[in-house]
Amino acid sequence: MPALLTDDWFATVDKLTAEAGDLNLPPALANLAINLVVVNADNNTTELSLDGGKIQKGLSSNAKTTLNMDGETLRKVFLEFDMAAAMQAFMTGKIKVQGDMSQLMALQTVKPSQEQKDLFKNILAQTS
């Protein structure tokens, strides 16, 4: 299993995403793009985005919001869908927001589709 945020991990994410097909996303999620900048244990950063319900390597030109966080927070919030961890991370400064805060409100109120949950569960199962 590839380690989170490595090139092998992104290749696995791309493969699983292609295999998943249509994610049946609600419009609010289908139209949402958020950039994520993750600080790794070695203090280097990895840039990725959640665009159209899919994790992609690199920043999205469609995003109006950028979240800065560490890898463990990324895992809990975006792969495990742990909204309690998301709120705690935000309140304790583990997630820093740049840009349009209303984009985050969409994440709180909109439920992911079962197809998206299954995809992210598969990604998590393939992540060391």
Side-chain angles (χ1 to χ4, degrees):
M1 283 188 278
L4 182 67
L5 301 179
T6 61
D7 287 339
D8 287 344
W9 183 81
F10 280 109
T12 300
V13 168
D14 289 345
K15 178 180 170 278
L16 292 172
T17 300
E19 290 171 357
D22 184 4
L23 297 179
N24 284 325
L25 296 172
L29 275 180
N31 298 322
L32 181 68
I34 294 178
N35 285 328
L36 306 165
V37 177
V38 180
V39 178
N40 305 317
D42 60 5
N43 274 341
N44 288 323
T45 59
T46 301
E47 296 177 337
L48 64 152
S49 59
L50 180 67
D51 194 349
K54 300 173 184 171
I55 296 171
Q56 301 173 353
K57 186 174 184 178
L59 300 179
S60 170
S61 60
N62 299 324
K64 297 177 184 166
T65 306
T66 299
L67 303 180
N68 295 279
M69 67 189 71
D70 61 39
E72 185 57 31
T73 303
L74 174 78
R75 177 189 297 266
K76 286 190 174 302
V77 175
F78 287 95
L79 296 181
E80 298 175 11
F81 290 111
D82 186 340
M83 289 302 112
M87 187 58 71
Q88 182 179 8
F90 179 74
M91 299 302 277
T92 60
K94 283 187 155 188
I95 295 177
K96 293 182 176 60
V97 181
Q98 296 173 293
D100 186 356
M101 189 78 154
S102 68
Q103 299 282 302
L104 296 181
M105 299 307 131
L107 283 178
Q108 282 187 309
T109 58
V110 177
K111 301 288 185 217
S113 66
Q114 189 59 52
E115 292 86 350
Q116 186 184 32
K117 286 181 187 179
D118 291 344
L119 169 61
F120 282 36
K121 183 179 177 183
N122 289 338
I123 291 170
L124 184 61
Q126 295 295 315
T127 302
S128 66

